[in-house]
Amino acid sequence: MQTLVISYFSDVDGKTYYSDHAKRFLSECNNFGIPHEVSQLPSQGNYQRNCLIKPKFIYSKLMEYRRPLIWLDIDTYILKEPVAFDGLSNMGINIGVSASDPKNLVSIKASPLWFNYTTETLQFVRDWI
């Protein structure tokens, strides 16, 4: 697999929900041989604030690795290697998202999010920040 999977986690309210999922997530990545970068970040105080750092994290990983990335929420279950994303960069695609209805992108899901390493993608993520 060519695309790097990225995620982060931050526990809130003294609970270990996200760190527990991180252990499973990392195990699944290792079992499938998926290249990954997972970080434990300090909590910003609550779930919403922890989510708001996602675009900065994605941007920092794009700049660090300079290659296509897939963001997966840490509580995602990985059932197989997500190789379908690998061909997107060769097709000239900048960003890939998932939606409940592929004909209507009104409700884009928070995960997975695929980002090519392009000037256009970097500008999009900077605007998102």
Side-chain angles (χ1 to χ4, degrees):
M1 185 169 156
Q2 301 165 345
T3 307
L4 180 69
V5 169
I6 62 168
S7 193
Y8 67 80
F9 63 98
S10 302
D11 285 322
V12 291
D13 300 328
K15 298 179 179 156
T16 60
Y17 174 85
Y18 293 105
S19 56
D20 292 344
H21 275 286
K23 291 174 192 168
R24 178 203 39 80
F25 184 95
L26 289 166
S27 176
E28 291 169 357
C29 284
N30 290 329
N31 287 342
F32 288 111
I34 298 169
H36 59 278
E37 171 72 30
V38 175
S39 301
Q40 181 174 9
L41 301 179
S43 178
Q44 303 300 302
N46 63 44
Y47 171 79
Q48 290 82 8
R49 284 192 219 128
N50 288 344
C51 290
L52 288 174
I53 60 177
K54 185 190 297 187
K56 285 184 181 179
F57 180 82
I58 291 168
Y59 185 82
S60 73
K61 295 305 172 186
L62 281 165
M63 296 307 293
E64 179 179 352
Y65 290 101
R66 301 184 184 279
R67 65 189 269 200
L69 307 173
I70 302 171
W71 164 269
L72 294 177
D73 287 345
I74 202 69
D75 54 359
T76 299
Y77 285 85
I78 302 172
L79 304 178
K80 64 180 183 175
E81 190 177 4
V83 294
F85 292 96
D86 283 344
L88 296 178
S89 58
N90 295 333
M91 297 169 64
I93 297 172
N94 291 315
I95 298 169
V97 299
S98 177
S100 300
D101 179 358
K103 294 179 183 175
N104 183 359
L105 293 180
V106 172
S107 60
I108 294 173
K109 296 184 180 197
S111 174
L113 300 173
W114 179 85
F115 299 89
N116 200 356
Y117 181 71
T118 64
T119 302
E120 295 84 3
T121 301
L122 293 172
Q123 184 59 54
F124 173 85
V125 179
R126 281 192 299 269
D127 291 345
W128 181 17
I129 293 168

